């Protein structure tokens, strides 16, 4: 699977989970989940280019 597809699926899953967190008014958890997903995607992208 291409790195872009893999990263897309991971980010999409994190966004879906964050939406669920927000629906339950757990905004701090949603924010942390999104930040973590962003950082992991950036690291994955950088690692793939090396």
């Amino acid at each position: 699977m291409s790195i872009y597809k893999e990263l897309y699926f991971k980010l999409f899953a994190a966004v879906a989970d964050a939406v669920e967190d927000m629906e339950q008014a757990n905004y701090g958890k949603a924010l942390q989940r999104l930040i973590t997903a962003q950082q992991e995607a950036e690291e994955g992208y950088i690692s793939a280019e090396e």
Side-chain angles (χ1 to χ4, degrees):
M1 174 172 8
S2 82
I3 187 66
Y4 298 109
K5 194 172 188 178
E6 182 181 334
L7 294 174
Y8 170 82
F9 286 133
K10 287 182 180 182
L11 286 170
F12 187 87
V15 169
D17 291 342
V19 168
E20 287 182 26
D21 292 335
M22 288 186 280
E23 287 174 343
Q24 297 173 9
N26 196 343
Y27 303 109
K29 184 175 180 182
L31 176 63
Q32 190 56 51
R33 188 184 304 272
L34 292 172
I35 290 169
T36 300
Q38 178 187 21
Q39 291 170 340
E40 289 176 357
E42 289 172 346
E43 290 171 8
Y45 178 77
I46 291 168
S47 295
E49 287 198 341
E50 294 177 349

